[in-house]
Amino acid sequence: YAQMIQNSILPLASDLKKRVPQSFIFYKPRDIVSGDFYWIHEITEENKIFVAAADCTGHGVPGAFMSMMGMEKLNQSVKVIHKLSPSSILSYLNKEIKLTLGKHINERELRDGMEIALAEIDLKNNSITFSGANRPIWVVSPNKGDDDIEVIKPTKAGIAGFTEFEQVFDQHVIQLLKGQTVYLFTDGAIDQFGGPAGKKIMTKGLKKLIIEIESLPLEEQHNQVANFFETWQGEHEQVDD
């Protein structure tokens, strides 16, 4: 029942595909409920859509509480407060979560928060405005090697936790070219143990996978990613969302 409640709050993948047909969401909680979440918000009149991939402290029930708080604060930032740039949304999210958690715990214990990659997609001008809290965004051009994956780095600070109250998050504008693909993800992918040697996938392994599949339609990429992780994990326990 908890899983049903959390899933009802998550956006529908079909909502993203309706506006960005070449897209996919791969979501695989470690436990019944998840500390990772994705978020989508459309600004119809401006032909823009926000997408985010977030990783909260912990997993299972504590992570799920944090993820639901994160989704609520993101929605509040755009629907009520009208923060309409990725950087300002992350600053608002940081302050609000610190204020909410700080009511009942002292500063020494205030370590809970999240990492998040947040992108505003401008469908009219074919550009992306990105801001990240410890999570990057990857831009992949067709027929490139892994050294040619453009990594747009985040601000080296998380949301809440020990981050300063007035933390400012860097913002980057990316003009997209035809055939490029953009990826947002949490660290659960790179931390999974498995494969022939029982080691973590690591960033290098994820880049290798992306390069191998980037030329495929996005729906097929989803299938390839799902198959890869199932095969890689094998008999190993899933370690993260």
Side-chain angles (χ1 to χ4, degrees), residues 3 28-34 59-61 237-238 240-241:
Q3 183 185 59
K28 193 171 187 287
R30 195 199 84 158
D31 303 306
I32 293 172
V33 288
S34 177
H59 36 70
V61 173
E237 180 182 357
Q238 185 174 333
D240 200 359
D241 302 313

Side-chain angles (χ1 to χ4, degrees), residues 225-241:
V225 168
N227 291 337
F228 172 82
F229 279 104
E230 183 178 352
T231 302
W232 180 272
Q233 183 179 334
E235 298 300 318
H236 292 266
E237 180 182 357
Q238 185 174 333
V239 297
D240 200 359
D241 302 313

Side-chain angles (χ1 to χ4, degrees), residues 89-227:
I89 291 171
L90 293 191
S91 293
Y92 176 80
L93 188 63
N94 178 56
K95 291 176 181 178
E96 284 296 303
I97 291 181
K98 287 180 79 69
L99 287 171
T100 300
L101 295 178
K103 292 173 184 175
H104 302 292
I105 28 187
N106 63 48
E107 188 174 345
R108 183 179 59 82
E109 296 171 320
L110 189 58
R111 61 185 181 275
D112 291 317
M114 66 187 68
E115 299 178 340
I116 182 170
L118 174 61
E120 175 198 76
I121 305 171
D122 186 329
L123 297 167
K124 181 180 179 181
N125 297 309
N126 206 35
S127 65
I128 284 180
T129 303
F130 166 74
S131 192
N134 276 339
R135 297 307 311 156
I137 189 172
W138 289 359
V139 182
V140 184
S141 298
N143 305 314
K144 298 291 185 181
D146 58 2
D147 291 337
D148 295 302
I149 291 180
E150 184 180 3
V151 178
I152 312 299
K153 294 182 179 180
T155 300
K156 290 185 177 180
I159 298 296
F162 297 109
T163 299
E164 295 293 329
F165 189 76
E166 297 293 341
Q167 175 69 48
V168 175
F169 295 88
D170 298 333
Q171 190 162 278
H172 310 268
V173 178
I174 308 156
Q175 188 61 51
L176 294 177
L177 303 175
K178 186 176 181 180
Q180 287 182 323
T181 313
V182 177
Y183 298 90
L184 291 75
F185 53 94
T186 65
D187 64 2
I190 61 178
D191 285 343
Q192 180 58 49
F193 288 95
K199 295 183 177 180
K200 289 184 178 181
I201 293 172
M202 305 297 286
T203 301
K204 182 179 180 181
L206 186 59
K207 281 186 173 181
K208 183 175 183 294
L209 171 64
I210 294 301
I211 291 299
E212 289 173 354
I213 67 174
E214 60 85 19
S215 62
L216 299 173
L218 272 290
E219 187 172 337
E220 179 58 26
Q221 287 195 34
H222 176 273
N223 296 335
Q224 292 288 335
V225 168
N227 291 337

Side-chain angles (χ1 to χ4, degrees), residues 9-49:
I9 295 172
L10 285 168
L12 294 171
S14 58
D15 288 343
L16 179 61
K17 287 192 76 69
K18 192 186 306 177
R19 299 298 288 128
V20 187
Q22 281 295 307
S23 62
F24 76 89
I25 296 170
F26 179 69
Y27 175 66
K28 193 171 187 287
R30 195 199 84 158
D31 303 306
I32 293 172
V33 288
S34 177
D36 283 11
F37 70 92
Y38 54 91
W39 178 72
I40 302 165
H41 176 74
E42 184 178 5
I43 306 176
T44 309
E45 60 274 16
E46 296 185 25
N47 208 18
K48 293 179 179 178
I49 184 168

